[in-house]
Amino acid sequence: DPDRALLEYLRALRQDEGNAEVLSKIGAIHASRNNYEVAEVAYRRALARDPKQAAALAGLGILLTRQRHYSEAETLLRAAVQEDPKLPGAHNALGVLADIERDHARAQRHFLDGLNQAPRSPTLHNNLGYSHYLAGNNRAAITEFRAALALDPNYARAWRNLGLVYSRQGRYEKALAAFRKVQDLPQAYNDVGYIAMVAGRL
């Protein structure tokens, strides 16, 4: 019940105005609701009180990654895993940043570190799969996308990524079947056609 949790955290904050852990939890609730400006204020207040508060470092780093402030995000995320190596979200965001920098080997290490802490995370399996895809390893990518879907059969991003790999391989019927899990048939045909066009298979 995030509404009740938020109310209790605010009550706790009235008792201890600069409690970094409480501020970090408030930031996390607002971030989960896409209230990014409020979340950022809460995280930065937490870090002003305790610069080594791992959850606030990770939360703000993830938030800034979403906002494409990559340099500051990476600094915060590295500090977070230094304080607490068992933060799967921080490892996931560091993996995303490494893929953006085209350092897929480093990205995959981060995703695996995250999976060591959260082996049943569809997001981490999906992102590891996408990193393999970017590195040209389609077989490993498909394995990870399937692992994500085994954990969450309704995970739309993993279905789309699976369709993307199948399209790139020229396995169009499988690609259509994957895309059809999350969109209608005309859109599925359009997406497979677009991927074939980009690959030069007119």
Side-chain angles (χ1 to χ4, degrees):
D1 185 348
D3 287 327
R4 183 177 172 192
L6 184 58
L7 178 62
E8 295 300 330
Y9 288 137
L10 290 171
R11 285 176 175 166
L13 205 58
R14 283 198 288 271
Q15 303 299 317
D16 183 1
E17 187 174 328
N19 187 306
E21 183 179 357
V22 171
L23 285 164
S24 180
K25 291 180 182 296
I26 289 171
I29 291 174
H30 283 294
S32 71
R33 295 175 163 182
N34 299 328
N35 297 330
Y36 294 144
E37 290 183 11
V38 180
E40 182 173 349
V41 169
Y43 285 136
R44 290 195 186 278
R45 283 184 61 193
L47 292 172
R49 178 69 177 265
D50 180 2
K52 294 186 176 183
Q53 220 283 335
L57 287 165
L60 183 56
I62 292 166
L63 192 65
L64 293 175
T65 300
R66 291 175 181 160
Q67 296 173 337
R68 301 187 180 184
H69 301 307
Y70 297 139
S71 179
E72 185 182 2
E74 186 164 0
T75 299
L76 290 163
L77 291 164
R78 287 188 182 281
V81 296
Q82 186 174 347
E83 293 299 323
D84 183 358
K86 298 180 179 181
L87 292 171
H91 284 294
N92 181 64
L94 282 167
V96 170
L97 291 172
D99 271 334
I100 289 169
E101 296 168 5
R102 299 184 183 180
D103 188 344
H104 306 307
R106 179 161 56 93
Q108 289 158 28
R109 286 194 298 272
H110 278 299
F111 293 134
L112 288 170
D113 285 342
L115 282 166
N116 283 337
Q117 306 304 320
R120 296 187 59 78
S121 168
T123 300
L124 281 161
H125 279 291
N126 176 72
N127 289 352
L128 177 57
Y130 195 73
S131 184
H132 281 303
Y133 164 74
L134 292 173
N137 190 346
N138 290 333
R139 181 175 294 181
I142 289 170
T143 297
E144 294 301 328
F145 295 145
R146 287 179 174 165
L149 290 166
L151 293 165
D152 181 359
N154 298 314
Y155 191 11
R157 185 167 294 178
W159 280 117
R160 289 192 183 96
N161 286 338
L162 191 59
L164 172 64
V165 176
Y166 284 144
S167 296
R168 288 289 173 88
Q169 292 179 322
R171 300 163 73 182
Y172 298 121
E173 292 304 319
K174 281 186 171 290
L176 283 168
F179 283 130
R180 283 283 286 128
K181 296 288 186 177
V182 292
Q183 56 198 38
D184 61 25
L185 186 59
Q187 185 64 50
Y189 271 115
N190 181 76
D191 287 359
V192 172
Y194 181 79
I195 294 165
M197 181 186 73
V198 170
R201 292 196 291 270
L202 302 181

